[in-house]
Amino acid sequence: MSNSTQGSASSSVGFSTGDKRPDHLLVLVHGILASPNDWIYTEAELKRRLGSNFLIYASSSNSFIKTFEGIDVAGRRLAAEVENVVEENFGLTKISFLAHSLGGLFTRYAIAVLYSSDDLTMGKNVTLQGAETDDSKETLRSGLIAGLEPINFITLATPHLGVRGNKQLPFLLGVEMLEKLAPPLAPLLVGRTGRQLFLTDEKPGKRSLLLRMTSDCEDNEYISALAAFKNRAVYANVSYDHMVGWRTSSIRRETELIQPSRQSLDGYKHVVGVEYCPAVSSDGPHFPSEAARAKEAAQAVPTAQNIDKYHHIMEEEMIRGLQRVSWKKVDVSFHDAPWPFSAHNNIHVKTEWLHNAGSSIISHVVDSIKQHEYCSTIFANL
């Protein structure tokens, strides 16, 4: 049996007694209006370069218009699909995810559904980020995803902060009028998913889904699930991405965006920067009362200033929540590629003949996975 699958849960039946079963499941998750076919090139490269230890699986549960049904709905479908793959493939012990665009949000929801904590009482207090506190007794948080050890969580051009705000949805060109019209029109075009991406899905007593997904809350333990992974990385297009802005895909504030380098890293064309961001301590939402006042003001007097203030507060809260875990942030620029305006599809090589400028990005992803796998093997043998 091949150790690569696409669109269906593969069975481990077919391995002979002497065959080495793959022990590391790598799930590929496509974006909006897409399908497992988006991963044909990347899947082949992963299979070729990672070897038989990996079972490469391209998710198919949210193909095409199913991506319109909501991040939560798609996330639960993905979680059920992953559970089926794990059940049907004996011998898996580790799990990783590589997701493109909206698929990264589906994956963040799914891993929270699949997360199971493993609380170990220790003599020192270790926070979510691993920093010690002065308490004499504490709980060290670790956990499993679908019963497996979580290793890599990697997203490519994913709108982690949603798409509301200046240039968060680049094809609107930063035009204020278009950015005002987009939120009410989005649900008509892309259903519940559009409402969630533009943070207009609030209900009485319930915050927007993307805001809830930056903390451990009554729904799921979203941040604990992210924290369980050994490595987290976001790849972000600094320009020419018509679908997802640099700020939202790299989980940065506007003030943290600096002029990107135009020089690629050695051996990785179009990779123009790598930043390692340690976790930043946070005790939960920082602006609940301020956000409530801003929301009331925006509803009572819906001026552009009041609405912008409220959404700025929500974005800051999302950033602070996601910063509770460490990230590797990889900046990508296709400014000198033959088709730079295809950056959103280049970054994962959607179609090899058209988007092959992104092959170096996939090479960078593969090398990172191999490096972490090697380090894990060395550590396990010590």
Side-chain angles (χ1 to χ4, degrees):
M1 188 197 98
S2 168
N3 71 307
S4 176
T5 66
Q6 181 172 301
S8 63
S10 67
S11 170
S12 59
V13 175
F15 283 102
S16 65
T17 305
D19 285 339
K20 176 176 172 53
R21 298 175 184 272
D23 63 359
H24 194 153
L25 173 61
L26 175 53
V27 183
L28 310 181
V29 187
H30 63 71
I32 196 166
L33 271 179
S35 76
N37 288 335
D38 281 31
W39 293 111
I40 289 176
Y41 171 84
T42 298
E43 183 180 7
E45 281 297 290
L46 289 167
K47 179 183 177 183
R48 181 177 68 86
R49 296 194 53 199
L50 293 180
S52 61
N53 284 347
F54 281 78
L55 173 65
I56 313 300
Y57 179 83
S59 168
S60 64
S61 60
N62 292 302
S63 297
F64 304 115
I65 61 172
K66 287 184 178 180
T67 56
F68 295 171
E69 296 176 16
I71 294 167
D72 49 346
V73 173
R76 285 192 290 270
R77 273 199 296 253
L78 174 59
E81 184 179 19
V82 170
E83 286 180 323
N84 287 336
V85 175
V86 173
E87 288 174 3
E88 294 179 6
N89 289 274
F90 174 76
L92 294 172
T93 60
K94 295 176 284 188
I95 188 169
S96 292
F97 291 87
L98 173 60
H100 175 246
S101 193
L102 181 62
L105 296 179
F106 294 167
T107 304
R108 278 176 48 200
Y109 193 97
I111 63 172
V113 174
L114 296 168
Y115 174 74
S116 58
S117 62
D118 180 14
D119 297 346
L120 304 173
T121 303
M122 305 291 287
K124 293 181 179 179
N125 195 10
V126 179
T127 66
L128 190 61
Q129 303 90 334
E132 295 182 3
T133 69
D134 295 330
D135 294 349
S136 59
K137 193 176 183 181
E138 62 93 359
T139 298
L140 176 64
R141 299 302 298 271
S142 61
L144 303 175
I145 301 295
L148 307 178
E149 180 186 6
I151 306 297
N152 301 289
F153 178 89
I154 305 168
T155 63
L156 310 173
T158 288
H160 288 286
L161 308 177
V163 296
R164 185 160 190 159
N166 185 243
K167 297 182 179 179
Q168 296 285 61
L169 192 58
F171 74 78
L172 299 178
L173 305 175
V175 177
E176 185 176 353
M177 180 59 69
L178 294 178
E179 292 183 339
K180 287 180 180 178
L181 291 173
L185 291 177
L188 302 178
L189 300 174
V190 291
R192 290 182 70 246
T193 299
R195 187 174 292 109
Q196 291 166 347
L197 285 171
F198 278 95
L199 309 175
T200 59
D201 59 319
E202 282 188 323
K203 295 179 180 179
K206 201 164 191 177
R207 299 180 300 165
S208 294
L209 176 62
L210 288 188
L211 196 56
R212 300 199 306 273
M213 285 172 59
T214 61
S215 64
D216 288 347
C217 62
E218 67 279 1
D219 294 351
N220 288 301
E221 294 180 89
Y222 297 104
I223 291 298
S224 288
L226 269 177
F229 286 83
K230 302 292 187 294
N231 314 289
R232 289 161 298 277
V234 291
Y235 287 70
N237 284 314
V238 304
S239 59
Y240 293 107
D241 190 321
H242 62 290
M243 293 294 291
V244 178
W246 185 16
R247 190 167 89 247
T248 186
S249 56
S250 63
I251 316 176
R252 290 185 176 112
R253 301 172 178 84
E254 186 73 38
T255 56
E256 295 172 338
L257 299 180
I258 60 174
Q259 184 65 30
S261 171
R262 297 181 69 84
Q263 183 174 353
S264 301
L265 300 186
D266 289 344
Y268 301 107
K269 189 171 177 59
H270 307 304
V271 175
V272 297
V274 178
E275 179 183 9
Y276 295 89
C277 302
V280 178
S281 180
S282 173
D283 295 325
H286 281 64
F287 316 106
S289 59
E290 185 178 354
R293 291 194 299 270
K295 180 181 178 181
E296 290 175 1
Q299 291 175 334
V301 186
T303 63
Q305 182 178 1
N306 285 345
I307 293 173
D308 287 347
K309 180 180 179 181
Y310 174 50
H311 286 285
H312 175 75
I313 290 173
M314 286 203 294
E315 183 174 294
E316 177 64 21
E317 189 171 331
M318 285 189 288
I319 291 173
R320 286 179 180 247
L322 291 172
Q323 283 182 337
R324 294 178 68 195
V325 296
S326 60
W327 295 92
K328 180 172 75 172
K329 299 182 179 182
V330 183
D331 292 326
V332 176
S333 177
F334 291 105
H335 66 276
D336 59 350
W339 307 102
F341 289 99
S342 297
H344 192 68
N345 292 325
N346 288 345
I347 201 168
H348 72 303
V349 194
K350 179 174 182 177
T351 305
E352 184 177 0
W353 69 268
L354 182 60
H355 306 115
N356 59 11
S359 60
S360 58
I361 310 306
I362 300 305
S363 180
H364 191 273
V365 170
V366 174
D367 286 344
S368 295
I369 292 174
K370 289 177 67 176
Q371 179 184 7
H372 294 311
E373 187 77 0
Y374 175 76
C375 291
S376 298
T377 301
I378 294 298
F379 181 78
N381 291 331
L382 291 179

